[in-house]
Amino acid sequence: AQSVTQPDIHITVSEGASLELRCNYSYGATPYLFWYVQSPGQGLQLLLKYFSGDTLVQGIKGFEAEFKRSQSSFNLRKPSVHWSDAAEYFCAVVAAGYSTLTFGKGTMLLVSP
Amino acid sequence: EAGVTQSPTHLIKTRGQQATLRCSPISGHTSVYWYQQALGLGLQFLLWYDEGEERNRGNFPPRFSGRQFPNYSSELNVNALELEDSALYLCASSLNSPEAFFGQGTRLTVV
């Protein structure tokens, strides 16, 4: 069964600084990869996805992620963080041939002034 | 275009009661997924419905059940509520794609 690891439970970044959130997955083949964001008490909003092709994908709100097959990673990045980016971020995978998402435990992003 | 809508937003039930949660998918989407987000347990897959049929089920007891209606909306029923069923229940929908769109969730509190 596939699994997703987000090694950082909390990350604090200064406003205007760059951000990288880590995500590693465990699966035999390349799964479909996603990043979602969740504000407190809210649902999940899709930031970006990777299905195939270019390993650097652009998403909404200025986020991007890079798929690295050799490292089984799909790290999320943003060059300059805004206070409104404070939220919880979830990496998720769907194994080829399946349709249900497997989520990581999430990384809570705190933005300091 | 309306997104995935869930009702009610909040639900408070007593232990042993039954809860019914509702989900309307994005127009045209035929698949509906239910996830539970409990404190400390992360997001766990509950149920997947597609074209009116249950396609997959997560590791939850049988008192968690549901159905999908001909208009593709869905209900999640939780019988014999336990305190640990308190969670945010999220519904998502998709159409022939692993990309799923989520609703705002129903916050279930069992007292």
Side-chain angles (χ1 to χ4, degrees), chain B residues 39-70:
Chain B
L39 201 61
L41 296 179
L43 282 148
Q44 298 185 79
F45 165 69
L46 262 167
L47 291 159
W48 169 29
Y49 293 96
D50 182 62
E51 297 282 1
E53 300 287 331
E54 183 180 301
R55 301 297 185 185
N56 199 2
R57 181 183 182 84
N59 188 26
F60 282 84
R63 58 190 186 82
F64 286 84
S65 65
R67 55 180 170 167
Q68 187 177 33
F69 298 99

Side-chain angles (χ1 to χ4, degrees), chain A residues 32 34 36 38 41-44 46 49 51 90 94 99-101 103 105, chain B residues 33 35 37 41 43 45 48 56 88 90 97-100 102-104 107:
Chain A
Y32 303 113
F34 305 85
Y36 286 88
Q38 185 180 36
Q42 299 297 308
L44 300 175
L46 179 66
K49 61 183 184 285
F51 286 3
F90 292 92
V94 175
S99 283
T100 57
L101 290 154
F103 287 91
K105 294 292 188 184
Chain B
Y33 310 84
Y35 290 85
Q37 187 176 27
L41 296 179
L43 282 148
F45 165 69
W48 169 29
N56 199 2
L88 182 66
L90 292 166
S97 168
E99 181 176 357
F102 284 79
Q104 293 301 297
R107 172 72 63 186

Side-chain angles (χ1 to χ4, degrees), chain A residues 8 19 29 37-39 43 49 54 56 60 67 69-70 73 77 83 87-88 91-92 98-99 107-108:
Chain A
D8 303 306
L19 168 70
V37 61
Q38 185 180 36
S39 297
K49 61 183 184 285
D54 192 346
L56 184 64
I60 63 171
F67 168 60
R69 185 189 308 273
S70 61
S73 69
R77 301 194 294 247
W83 64 266
E88 190 158 21
C91 181
Y98 293 85
S99 283
T107 297
M108 182 66 72

Side-chain angles (χ1 to χ4, degrees), chain A residues 4-13 17-24 34-38 47-48 63-67 72-79 81 85-92 105-111:
Chain A
V4 180
T5 302
Q6 293 180 249
D8 303 306
I9 298 173
H10 295 98
I11 280 186
T12 300
V13 175
S18 64
L19 168 70
E20 182 168 26
L21 301 182
R22 295 182 291 165
C23 173
N24 292 93
F34 305 85
W35 276 99
Y36 286 88
V37 61
Q38 185 180 36
L47 284 175
L48 46 76
F63 286 92
E64 66 178 27
E66 186 172 12
F67 168 60
S72 297
S73 69
F74 188 56
N75 294 349
L76 182 71
R77 301 194 294 247
K78 187 170 185 178
V81 168
D85 293 324
E88 190 158 21
Y89 292 79
F90 292 92
C91 181
K105 294 292 188 184
T107 297
M108 182 66 72
L109 173 65
L110 306 172
V111 180

